[in-house]
């Protein structure tokens, strides 16, 4: 059977990093096997629905290159691909009633007050859970019909066995068995007529011939219920692939508080979609050769989902920054100039060689928003502390820096060749005559013309960009600062 995976997000807001990784792995599993990647919008939870969230889903998939083969905008013969549209046709209620007929489901008319009175137990992970007591399972067909005729609100529940075990197989975790007494009679159809997430998933996955169900391992506990539904319908069970948790640096679940839990946040911070996809692919999977930089086509070729690690993956923002920097370095200049120019123009209004400035920062930035702070000194000399002239490794201090600047000033005033090579030759001729270390001349010179501890280029490149007049002006300011000290 042709491999078919589906990405079935709920339109509830931003695209969480975990959801994007699920989409990526589903895409890679399908494309590696020459199969289909299906987009299905699961919008049956109307309380959590967020206006505009569907557009976020489409935009994210488009920007990251995860092109779906079928979806609401690409009918492949398995539509509709929006659950609310499928629900409107009565599809889910029809299948729930089939389970009622077979004795695998039943109507439940219990009101909120009775449900809240049920005994609450504590699960192994410390969470409180309410287990339904099958009260309405004992209703006679006549009683059920009378309630329906009276318009009494109801839900439809699955009739879980209370004895024995249920076993399912996950391609990563292997065979997992649970005691049936731990399984609650989960709701299939809610009182508003909408299907629950779990029930709609099973029906849609079967009807759309999904072969691999990929999701976070927080759904492992729900898998026995999925298994019981497949068995009740007599349907073939798809392959389960449960993905490891993504945590922050403190090994806690990646949350909104981290500031980088969603794709949108990362893009707003200046991360490239290609770098985000590359990095997220490695949150749980790695190739045998430990290669780290992958194009999407290379990921398709190399991805083997059976090599996914079961241990939680740590989202290291600094590692992502490094990777983003590598993508920037590899970017062709035309595209780089186009993306960098708005950041350059934030701080530079003078008639300077902007391309040269952008060339300087290309190999030094990890994020485009770092550019303004790195280059603002080209526009206007910042005020700075003369302590910057002291550098133990360069063996410079305020005294010898003043001497160097006073000696270089007339030399630089006496030339009109402010090319990088011309300035290099001139200053190094001075260094040779003075018989000093290179750094003893270059450190105070760069400090004087930039006013910064760290710059994207050396003194000659900076002087070339700002020109003779500005260079002389800044060196005189430096000399004055050092004299006054």
């Amino acid at each position: 059977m042709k491999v078919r995976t589906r990405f079935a997000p709920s339109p509830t807001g931003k695209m969480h990093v975990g959801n994007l990784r699920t989409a990526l792995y589903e895409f890679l599993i399908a494309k590696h096997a020459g199969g289909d990647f299906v987009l299905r919008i699961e919008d049956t939870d109307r309380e959590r629905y967020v206006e505009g969230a569907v557009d976020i889903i489409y935009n994210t998939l488009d920007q990251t290159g995860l092109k779906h083969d079928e979806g609401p905008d690409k009918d492949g013969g398995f539509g509709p691909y929006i659950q609310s549209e499928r629900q409107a046709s009565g599809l889910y209620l029809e299948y729930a009633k089939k389970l009622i007929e077979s004795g695998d489901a039943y109507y439940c008319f219990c009101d909120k007050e009775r449900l809240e009175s049920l005994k609450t137990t504590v699960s192994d992970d410390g969470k409180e859970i309410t287990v339904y007591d099958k009260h309405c399972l004992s209703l006679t067909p006549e009683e059920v019909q009378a309630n329906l005729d009276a318009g009494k609100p109801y839900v439809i529940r699955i009739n879980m066995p209370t004895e024995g075990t249920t076993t399912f197989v996950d391609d990563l975790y292997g065979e997992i068995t649970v005691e049936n007494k731990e399984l609650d009679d989960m709701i299939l159809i809610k009182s508003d007529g909408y299907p629950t997430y779990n029930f709609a998933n099973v029906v849609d996955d079967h009807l759309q011939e999904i072969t691999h169900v990929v999701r976070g391992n927080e759904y492992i506990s729900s898998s026995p219920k999925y298994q019981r539904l497949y068995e009740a319908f007599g349907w073939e069970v798809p392959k389960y692939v449960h993905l490891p948790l993504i945590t922050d640096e403190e090994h806690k679940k990646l949350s909104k508080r981290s500031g980088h839990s969603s794709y949108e946040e990362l893009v707003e911070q200046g991360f490239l979609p290609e770098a985000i996809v590359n990095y997220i692919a490695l949150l749980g999977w790695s190739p045998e050769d430990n290669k780290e930089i992958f194009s999407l086509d290379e990921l398709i070729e190399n991805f083997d989902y059976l090599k996914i690690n079961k241990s939680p993956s740590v989202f290291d923002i600094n590692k992502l920054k490094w990777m983003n920097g590598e993508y920037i370095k590899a970017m062709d200049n035309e595209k780089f100039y186009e993306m960098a120019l708005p950041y350059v123009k934030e701080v530079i209004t003078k008639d300077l060689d902007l391309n040269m400035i952008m060339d300087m920062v290309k190999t030094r930035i990890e994020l485009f928003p770092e550019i303004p702070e790195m280059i603002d000194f080209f526009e206007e000399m910042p005020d700075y502390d003369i302590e910057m002239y002291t550098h133990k490794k360069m063996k410079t201090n305020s005294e010898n820096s003043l001497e160097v600047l006073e000696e270089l000033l007339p030399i630089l005033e006496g030339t009109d060749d402010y090319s990088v090579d011309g300035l290099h030759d001139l200053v190094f001729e001075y260094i040779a005559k003075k018989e000093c270390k290179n750094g003893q001349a270059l450190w105070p010179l760069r400090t004087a013309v930039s006013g910064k501890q760290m710059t994207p280029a050396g003194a000659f490149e900076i002087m070339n960009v700002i020109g003779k007049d500005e260079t002389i002006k800044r060196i005189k300011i430096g000399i004055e600062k050092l004299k006054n000290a």
Side-chain angles (χ1 to χ4, degrees), residues 18-211:
N19 289 342
L20 181 57
R21 184 190 62 176
T22 298
L24 174 61
Y25 282 11
E26 288 166 335
F27 173 84
L28 295 177
I29 289 172
K31 296 297 132 187
H32 182 78
D36 293 331
F37 175 57
V38 180
L39 173 64
R40 190 172 72 220
I41 304 298
E42 301 198 340
D43 62 344
T44 54
D45 189 342
R46 304 312 292 177
E47 290 183 2
R48 297 180 62 223
Y49 180 85
V50 173
E51 199 68 40
V54 172
D55 291 333
I56 289 175
I57 293 167
Y58 278 111
N59 292 337
T60 302
L61 293 181
D62 181 60
Q63 292 172 21
T64 55
L66 306 185
K67 307 295 185 185
H68 52 283
D69 300 289
E70 296 175 25
D73 57 338
K74 297 179 183 178
D75 193 345
F78 293 91
Y81 295 87
I82 299 177
Q83 278 191 343
S84 59
E85 294 179 9
R86 298 170 73 82
Q87 188 271 342
S89 69
L91 174 72
Y92 304 113
L93 184 59
E94 174 191 339
Y95 277 93
K97 287 181 177 179
K98 287 183 179 181
L99 293 180
I100 291 175
E101 292 171 7
S102 65
D104 293 295
Y106 58 96
Y107 289 100
C108 174
F109 300 94
C110 292
D111 57 25
K112 184 178 180 180
E113 184 178 0
R114 184 179 186 281
L115 291 174
E116 289 179 349
S117 71
L118 295 177
K119 183 180 179 183
T120 299
T121 59
V122 179
S123 61
D124 292 338
D125 59 4
K127 293 180 180 177
E128 289 188 338
I129 57 173
T130 301
V131 178
Y132 185 64
D133 59 1
K134 293 183 181 286
H135 173 76
C136 289
L137 180 61
S138 61
L139 295 176
T140 66
E142 292 75 19
E143 289 173 317
V144 169
Q145 192 58 51
N147 286 336
L148 293 174
D149 292 341
K152 192 171 183 179
Y154 70 85
V155 298
I156 296 178
R157 294 180 180 272
I158 189 172
N159 182 18
M160 288 289 187
T162 55
E163 298 179 349
T165 60
T166 294
T167 299
F168 68 95
V169 178
D170 178 273
D171 276 5
L172 301 181
Y173 291 84
E175 193 174 273
I176 299 175
T177 300
V178 298
E179 297 286 334
N180 287 334
K181 63 183 180 182
E182 298 177 6
L183 304 179
D184 187 29
D185 285 4
M186 71 172 179
I187 295 172
L188 307 181
I189 301 294
K190 297 179 287 186
S191 58
D192 60 5
Y194 278 86
T196 56
Y197 176 86
N198 291 335
F199 184 56
N201 256 272
V202 169
V203 173
D204 290 341
D205 285 343
H206 170 74
L207 296 179
Q208 294 178 337
E209 298 182 4
I210 302 303
T211 60

Side-chain angles (χ1 to χ4, degrees), residues 101-368:
E101 292 171 7
S102 65
D104 293 295
Y106 58 96
Y107 289 100
C108 174
F109 300 94
C110 292
D111 57 25
K112 184 178 180 180
E113 184 178 0
R114 184 179 186 281
L115 291 174
E116 289 179 349
S117 71
L118 295 177
K119 183 180 179 183
T120 299
T121 59
V122 179
S123 61
D124 292 338
D125 59 4
K127 293 180 180 177
E128 289 188 338
I129 57 173
T130 301
V131 178
Y132 185 64
D133 59 1
K134 293 183 181 286
H135 173 76
C136 289
L137 180 61
S138 61
L139 295 176
T140 66
E142 292 75 19
E143 289 173 317
V144 169
Q145 192 58 51
N147 286 336
L148 293 174
D149 292 341
K152 192 171 183 179
Y154 70 85
V155 298
I156 296 178
R157 294 180 180 272
I158 189 172
N159 182 18
M160 288 289 187
T162 55
E163 298 179 349
T165 60
T166 294
T167 299
F168 68 95
V169 178
D170 178 273
D171 276 5
L172 301 181
Y173 291 84
E175 193 174 273
I176 299 175
T177 300
V178 298
E179 297 286 334
N180 287 334
K181 63 183 180 182
E182 298 177 6
L183 304 179
D184 187 29
D185 285 4
M186 71 172 179
I187 295 172
L188 307 181
I189 301 294
K190 297 179 287 186
S191 58
D192 60 5
Y194 278 86
T196 56
Y197 176 86
N198 291 335
F199 184 56
N201 256 272
V202 169
V203 173
D204 290 341
D205 285 343
H206 170 74
L207 296 179
Q208 294 178 337
E209 298 182 4
I210 302 303
T211 60
H212 293 67
V213 172
V214 185
R215 57 194 179 208
N217 65 9
E218 65 267 26
Y219 290 101
I220 284 184
S221 61
S222 300
S223 295
K225 300 174 183 179
Y226 286 77
Q227 186 76 18
R228 298 302 307 187
L229 282 171
Y230 279 107
E231 292 175 359
F233 281 121
W235 293 341
E236 183 177 352
V237 181
K239 290 181 177 294
Y240 294 120
V241 184
H242 288 94
L243 306 178
L245 182 69
I246 299 176
T247 72
D248 59 21
E249 291 88 342
E250 297 177 353
H251 303 285
K252 296 178 181 178
K253 188 175 180 180
L254 194 63
S255 68
K256 293 179 181 178
R257 290 192 301 274
S258 70
H260 49 260
S261 65
S262 73
Y263 172 77
E264 290 78 13
E265 288 173 325
L266 294 174
V267 171
E268 287 168 5
Q269 291 166 26
F271 290 99
L272 300 168
E274 311 95 284
I276 296 172
V277 168
N278 188 159
Y279 181 68
I280 288 177
L282 303 177
L283 290 177
W285 171 85
S286 60
E288 293 181 354
D289 61 1
N290 292 320
K291 178 181 174 181
E292 292 187 298
I293 305 298
F294 287 90
S295 67
L296 190 56
D297 286 340
E298 288 172 329
L299 285 172
I300 291 171
E301 181 181 348
N302 288 275
F303 191 76
D304 179 357
Y305 79 89
L306 295 176
K307 301 283 178 62
I308 293 174
N309 198 320
K310 295 190 288 289
S311 302
S313 301
V314 177
F315 190 103
D316 184 345
I317 192 67
N318 291 318
K319 182 66 177 289
L320 175 56
K321 285 180 180 178
W322 166 82
M323 185 171 286
N324 201 72
E326 294 301 301
Y327 271 84
I328 290 175
K329 290 175 188 173
M331 193 178 287
D332 70 75
N333 282 344
E334 186 176 348
K335 182 179 179 182
F336 176 76
Y337 293 159
E338 181 185 344
M339 295 187 69
L341 192 58
Y343 296 97
V344 173
K345 288 185 173 181
E346 281 183 24
V347 292
I348 294 184
T349 61
K350 291 180 179 178
D351 184 18
L352 301 176
D353 188 338
L354 300 187
N355 281 0
M356 187 171 182
I357 292 174
M358 288 189 283
D359 287 338
M360 291 178 186
V361 302
K362 185 178 180 185
T363 59
R364 288 173 168 81
I365 60 168
E366 292 180 328
L367 298 167
F368 281 101

Side-chain angles (χ1 to χ4, degrees), residues 434-481:
K434 191 174 179 62
E435 296 182 346
C436 66
K437 299 283 187 183
N438 293 348
Q440 287 178 303
L442 298 180
W443 182 266
L445 182 59
R446 187 178 66 85
T447 301
V449 297
S450 71
K452 288 209 170 189
Q453 195 88 29
M454 303 290 292
T455 58
F460 308 133
E461 290 82 3
I462 294 170
M463 293 157 67
N464 173 253
V465 170
I466 64 177
K468 180 177 179 177
D469 291 347
E470 185 67 17
T471 295
I472 299 304
K473 174 185 172 184
R474 293 184 180 195
I475 290 176
K476 286 181 177 179
I477 290 173
I479 290 172
E480 197 64 29
K481 275 179 169 287

